[in-house]
Amino acid sequence: MEALAIGSAPPRPGLAVPTRHSHLRRPRTLAAAACRPLAAAPMDDAAAGRPGPSPLRCTRAETDSEVDEIATSSQAAGSAGATEQGGNGGPVADASTAGASTEIAGVDGIRIRRRPVTGPAVHYVGPFQFRLENEGNTPRNILERIVWDKEAEVSQMKERRPLYMLKGPLEAAPPARDFVGALKASYDRTGLPALIAEVKKASPSRGVLREDFDPVQIAQAYEKNGAACLSVLTDKKYFQGSFDYLEAIRNAGVKCPLLCKEFIVDAWQLYYARSKGADAVLLIAAVLPNIDIKYMLKICKILGMAALVEVHDEMEMDRILGIDGVQLIGINNRNLETFEVDIANTKKLLEGERGQIIAQKDVIVVGESGLFTPDHISFVQNAGVKAVLVGESLIKQEDPGKAVAGLFGKDISHAGTA
């Protein structure tokens, strides 16, 4: 099922032009949608020049001729080669280059491996269980652990709800709202960075942040007190989030555009997020190579969603600035290796030529992590930030809504700035 209408190739003679969701047709056979996961090699192998396994991709077991006839080409690969829509929503390398592709860990400087490369650590011999931990099956940091678990989780979700089954929910979903426009309007109205307030119950480093957690009430309080947009955690295992929270907030009549704060590792997740009411999604440069980011940006454009592309360091920033179509760049001030937070990271990534390129491209920069006081907000604004994504410093307060004024040092609600 590869017909994602994002390419520039014209329709073939005698075939109908694909409609917005025409690529979500049910495959004639299950085999046509089958995916074969291939493990990514560790970065150490790549550095040593040793050959490793093929990249983590989905590849079709066989092609359904009926679905193939409505396919259109994708240009997401750019000069690296053509890509196509995988049987269940994931980008796959062109057949002529798939075997020669380098592994994801190492591509574009990515350090996060997408799954254990030597199999699980737990083994069974008869009734006995034992662990053989090594570099290949032990996550090197919390983000890598989350990504490994997310790969397995998404694989199961796709089996239960293949892409064609999302056609109905996508058509029934409320229209996507202008996430970028809402940030710009708030900045113009207040003269301060627009607030993306986060609906977040817990984190892997801090544990439960709020026991009396009512996502709808929190979202309504944020909106009332001046938030331009909301970020809703949907990861269950590490953040105790849920897509039910996202859907409930949207259905409750909250007008703020919603960012689905999820760890995206597969294009299928973009369709699922949109079906649940998301207006924007998060794409993490430390996890996704350029080819996937380009591909997912095109899918987001078709679905009407914005994409917040998150970077952590200069190398990731340079990568993303080289990709056309990026409107939002989030700078996460948390070090992925040490988990330490330093808001000076924002200033460092926006100095000099990078800041000039961002201004020329009219990209909105979003400051993330380590923002607790009006001085912090002022610091990142002076560095060039026009929006901030804040969760912990608000959600832990007795009244998260009223905490917004404390964060900015003034009332930024519509009533307060009227």
Side-chain angles (χ1 to χ4, degrees), residues 141-331:
N141 54 54
I142 184 60
L143 179 57
E144 191 165 86
R145 181 180 296 278
I146 292 171
V147 168
W148 286 8
D149 287 338
K150 188 60 63 176
E151 285 278 359
E153 176 189 330
V154 172
S155 178
Q156 295 172 1
M157 292 176 71
K158 287 168 61 177
E159 287 182 3
R160 293 194 301 267
R161 187 170 292 185
L163 188 59
Y164 70 85
M165 292 181 65
L166 297 182
K167 183 175 186 294
L170 280 167
E171 293 175 341
R177 298 167 296 192
D178 187 357
F179 192 92
V180 175
L183 296 180
K184 290 181 177 179
S186 177
Y187 184 82
D188 292 341
R189 176 176 62 83
T190 65
L192 294 167
L195 174 62
I196 306 172
E198 194 151 79
V199 180
K200 178 180 183 180
K201 182 176 182 178
S203 78
S205 59
R206 302 287 188 180
V208 175
L209 301 173
R210 189 176 188 86
E211 292 289 352
D212 57 331
F213 184 78
D214 185 321
V216 172
Q217 286 186 3
I218 293 169
Q220 291 171 336
Y222 283 153
E223 181 175 52
K224 180 181 178 181
N225 286 275
C229 300
L230 304 179
S231 169
V232 183
L233 266 296
T234 54
D235 176 79
K236 183 176 182 179
K237 181 172 183 177
Y238 293 94
F239 293 86
Q240 298 188 34
S242 172
F243 278 98
D244 291 340
Y245 298 161
L246 181 71
E247 203 167 24
I249 292 170
R250 184 68 193 258
N251 293 338
V254 173
K255 294 181 175 59
C256 288
L258 305 179
L259 169 73
C260 175
K261 187 75 172 292
E262 178 60 285
F263 296 87
I264 302 293
V265 295
D266 192 292
W268 178 92
Q269 294 169 276
L270 306 179
Y271 294 95
Y272 189 69
R274 177 79 277 274
S275 74
K276 293 295 184 178
D279 305 295
V281 292
L282 177 71
L283 303 179
I284 303 177
V287 174
L288 300 169
N290 291 359
I291 189 173
D292 284 358
I293 292 176
K294 293 175 184 177
Y295 185 86
M296 292 180 181
L297 286 173
K298 293 189 176 185
I299 295 176
C300 287
K301 186 175 181 179
I302 286 176
L303 297 176
M305 294 193 298
L308 173 60
V309 186
E310 181 179 280
V311 303
H312 298 80
D313 56 32
E314 297 100 322
M315 181 177 65
E316 291 176 4
M317 175 66 88
D318 291 340
R319 281 176 50 206
I320 301 309
L321 288 178
I323 296 176
D324 291 333
V326 175
Q327 295 179 289
L328 299 170
I329 295 179
I331 298 179

Side-chain angles (χ1 to χ4, degrees), residues 97-122:
T97 60
S101 298
T102 52
E103 59 277 356
I104 286 181
V107 171
D108 299 324
I110 290 177
R111 298 185 297 274
I112 300 299
R113 300 170 297 178
R114 291 279 282 270
R115 65 176 59 190
V117 298
T118 59
V122 178

Side-chain angles (χ1 to χ4, degrees), residues 72-148:
T72 57
S73 64
S74 165
Q75 302 300 315
S79 60
T83 62
E84 56 187 8
Q85 177 72 0
N88 213 2
V92 297
D94 182 85
S96 63
T97 60
S101 298
T102 52
E103 59 277 356
I104 286 181
V107 171
D108 299 324
I110 290 177
R111 298 185 297 274
I112 300 299
R113 300 170 297 178
R114 291 279 282 270
R115 65 176 59 190
V117 298
T118 59
V122 178
H123 299 270
Y124 296 89
V125 176
F128 303 103
Q129 172 184 312
F130 64 96
R131 299 181 66 87
L132 290 176
E133 294 188 351
N134 54 52
E135 185 182 2
N137 62 29
T138 304
R140 293 181 289 207
N141 54 54
I142 184 60
L143 179 57
E144 191 165 86
R145 181 180 296 278
I146 292 171
V147 168
W148 286 8

Side-chain angles (χ1 to χ4, degrees), residues 6-45:
I6 60 178
S8 59
R12 297 179 218 169
L15 295 178
V17 177
T19 57
R20 182 172 183 176
H21 300 304
S22 66
H23 56 288
L24 303 182
R25 295 182 183 178
R26 180 171 183 166
R28 186 163 52 185
T29 63
L30 290 177
C35 288
R36 179 173 66 254
L38 300 175
M43 186 174 63
D44 295 340
D45 283 351

